[in-house]
Amino acid sequence: VRYPQLDERLQTAADFFPSCDIGADIGADHGRLSCYLLANNICQRMIVSDISKSSLEKAKNLLTLHKLSDRACFRVADGLDAICIPIAAIAICGMGGHTISKILKNGISKLSGSNVIVSAHSDIPALRETIANAGLQIVAERIAKAGTRFYVIIHARQGHSEYTEHELFIGPCLITGEARYAREYFLHMRRTEYRVRNQLAKTHLLWIDEVLSRLQST
Ligand SMILES: C[S@@+](CC[C@H](N)C(=O)[O-])C[C@H]1O[C@@H](n2cnc3c(N)ncnc32)[C@H](O)[C@@H]1O
């Protein structure tokens, strides 16, 4: 049976995983990320977790199908409650920014020393702020395109960080405009901000235009 393909969003998240003994996939749902990480021996073992029993069942079925389930520990749990030992890399992907922020805040003690890989489909500036407040530092951010949508995938590690409003909004690692899809992503962001007619949106537009002008001059 062929392993399932990852879309660009999950592949980007997977690419941030170091080779390690144990990783975690929080909110695993279909289980494709865990399947890829185990099948390619990037993680020797995985904690595969979801708050929903029926979602976790999907992950369990996929890993059983590919004979990988003996290397996985399946847990129905809220966020980082699934974790009780130090984990080299933890992915929390495919949820809203507020949900991921809440998971990080509630589980700060579980994050020290881990590579934290997050991808939210909303409220990314607030998520970046939570990352900083959780004693983590953003070490990389990449943009991925899956279907017609763009996603930001953030890789953070333990470390002190303080971000300005500007960095929180654009992304500390996206500010140079060097990321893949930067032009399309920021043009899309510009269209969204343009519809919001308030003072803050005007500032956001200026910041977006600054990145775009950097892109045009390269
Ligand atoms: C859209 S799926 C994302 C699946 C996969 N991580 C991905 O990125 O493709 C979101 C999953 O997160 C789970 N979830 C939501 N809140 C959660 C929480 N607090 N703790 C663990 N899982 C949660 C949901 O049950 C759902 O299965």
Side-chain angles (χ1 to χ4, degrees), residues 127-180:
L127 176 59
R128 291 190 180 106
E129 193 168 20
T130 304
I131 289 173
N133 293 338
L136 301 169
Q137 189 174 30
I138 297 175
V139 291
E141 292 183 280
R142 288 194 195 138
I143 302 165
K145 191 175 183 185
T148 55
R149 291 196 59 174
F150 293 103
Y151 299 88
V152 175
I153 297 92
I154 300 175
H155 179 194
R157 268 198 229 117
Q158 198 171 2
H160 176 75
S161 60
E162 270 173 48
Y163 300 118
T164 61
E165 286 298 319
H166 183 182
E167 288 168 323
L168 290 174
F169 181 71
I170 296 286
C173 302
L174 299 179
I175 249 162
T176 58
E178 283 162 11
R180 190 175 180 208

Side-chain angles (χ1 to χ4, degrees), residues 188-202:
H188 173 79
M189 221 166 138
R190 197 182 194 289
R191 282 193 292 274
T192 314
E193 281 303 313
Y194 196 71
R195 282 186 222 118
V196 188
R197 302 198 172 272
N198 62 28
Q199 201 52 40
L200 188 61
K202 278 191 194 156

Side-chain angles (χ1 to χ4, degrees), residues 9-10 27-30 50-52 55 77-79 93-95 99 103:
R9 175 181 66 89
L10 284 176
D29 194 24
H30 42 72
D50 203 289
I51 199 167
S52 145
S55 291
D78 184 353
C93 298
M95 296 170 219
T99 306
I103 290 175

Side-chain angles (χ1 to χ4, degrees), residues 75-153:
R75 297 205 175 127
V76 174
D78 184 353
L80 300 171
D81 287 353
I83 289 175
C84 51
I85 53 166
I87 303 290
I90 303 172
I92 316 168
C93 298
M95 296 170 219
H98 285 307
T99 306
I100 300 182
S101 285
K102 206 166 134 202
I103 290 175
L104 294 177
K105 281 181 197 157
N106 290 344
I108 288 185
S109 62
K110 315 282 180 77
L111 297 171
S112 66
S114 300
N115 289 275
V116 178
I117 296 131
V118 296
S119 177
H121 46 242
S122 60
D123 305 301
I124 301 171
L127 176 59
R128 291 190 180 106
E129 193 168 20
T130 304
I131 289 173
N133 293 338
L136 301 169
Q137 189 174 30
I138 297 175
V139 291
E141 292 183 280
R142 288 194 195 138
I143 302 165
K145 191 175 183 185
T148 55
R149 291 196 59 174
F150 293 103
Y151 299 88
V152 175
I153 297 92

